[in-house]
Amino acid sequence: MVFGYARCSTNENKQDIERQVQDLKNMGAKKIFQEYESGSNTKRPQLKKLQEQIKKGDTLIVLELSRITRSVHHLCHILEWASDQNITIKAGGFTADCNNGIDPMVESMFLMMGIFAQMERKMTIRRVKSGVANARAKGIKLGRPALTKSKLPQAFLNHYPTYQKGSLTKAEFARLCNCSRPSLYRYLEIIENDQTKNK
């Protein structure tokens, strides 16, 4: 059985995972696990499910080694797991056949790729931190602008009077506004605080 694993760091509204999925299908993956998680997170639900379902003699395909991990320490555990389970891993044109213990040269190549993936992540974090510090030094405000009553979604404002009358549950209200429960609670807090101030 050939398994595929696709990963993006941010959610589906920001990054498109479909290109990875299509490429994995073209490479022969029959079952593909996908998730939006940081590559440094070693406790990913879909990766865990994949590791539970893949069996001896199966193959795992990722487009790049960084899709499965951006941590050299975690990569060592992945290679050890693959060797113990006799799994073949294909990543970025390289194949680690772990059916009879991984070849030392291949293992070294994978570890080198892992070092570069980890280094790339650390350099990105450093650039971001430097950019944030530079922006703050210039007095630039970062983060989302404060949400006020005038900026609340129109759908929320339209249905709020009905909710106030007790004709809508919070779940129904959130569904009508096409928003999450946490977002709804934030909107309610804003409008209720505004009403308190104006009393």
Side-chain angles (χ1 to χ4, degrees):
M1 180 75 169
V2 180
F3 290 79
Y5 179 74
R7 181 192 63 78
C8 283
S9 296
T10 54
N11 66 38
E12 61 273 20
N13 296 321
K14 295 182 180 178
Q15 286 186 302
D16 183 7
I17 207 168
E18 284 306 311
R19 180 190 64 82
Q20 287 185 57
V21 172
Q22 190 54 55
D23 286 348
L24 289 169
K25 286 179 181 177
N26 293 340
M27 293 167 72
K30 301 301 180 187
K31 186 166 186 178
I32 298 171
F33 291 80
Q34 17 178 335
E35 64 190 335
Y36 293 88
E37 288 281 355
S38 167
S40 63
N41 179 8
T42 60
K43 295 179 180 179
R44 285 171 255 147
Q46 292 302 311
L47 180 59
K48 185 173 184 292
K49 283 184 184 178
L50 184 153
Q51 289 182 291
E52 288 170 351
Q53 292 186 28
I54 201 166
K55 304 296 181 188
K56 179 178 179 179
D58 288 342
T59 297
L60 168 59
I61 303 175
V62 288
L63 295 188
E64 302 167 4
L65 199 61
S66 62
R67 296 304 91 201
I68 199 165
T69 184
R70 281 189 179 273
S71 158
V72 174
H73 182 257
H74 187 215
L75 176 59
C76 289
H77 284 289
I78 292 287
L79 291 175
E80 185 178 348
W81 161 77
S83 187
D84 289 344
Q85 299 297 319
N86 295 325
I87 303 297
T88 296
I89 299 178
K90 293 185 177 182
F94 292 90
T95 300
D97 185 346
C98 303
N99 283 292
N100 295 301
I102 188 169
D103 179 83
M105 288 292 288
V106 174
E107 182 179 26
S108 298
M109 183 62 70
F110 266 64
L111 290 173
M112 282 299 295
M113 288 193 293
I115 288 169
F116 283 113
Q118 180 174 281
M119 180 183 71
E120 182 183 30
R121 177 179 174 273
K122 288 185 176 181
M123 287 175 68
T124 299
I125 291 171
R126 178 173 288 186
R127 282 196 298 269
V128 169
K129 285 182 177 178
S130 175
V132 167
N134 188 46
R136 282 180 177 157
K138 292 178 179 178
I140 298 171
K141 290 185 177 180
L142 302 171
R144 289 189 296 186
L147 189 61
T148 61
K149 182 186 174 183
S150 63
K151 294 179 182 177
L152 289 172
Q154 192 58 48
F156 172 85
L157 295 172
N158 290 344
H159 294 291
Y160 180 69
T162 309
Y163 167 77
Q164 255 191 324
K165 292 174 187 174
S167 302
L168 285 176
T169 65
K170 283 188 171 69
E172 290 167 337
F173 194 9
R175 198 159 44 247
L176 287 168
C177 296
N178 193 29
C179 70
S180 66
R181 290 286 283 273
S183 292
L184 179 70
Y185 295 146
R186 192 157 62 99
Y187 300 159
L188 288 169
E189 183 181 5
I190 289 165
I191 201 166
E192 286 163 6
N193 285 343
D194 182 79
Q195 289 171 348
T196 302
K197 285 177 188 175
N198 293 326
K199 281 182 178 179

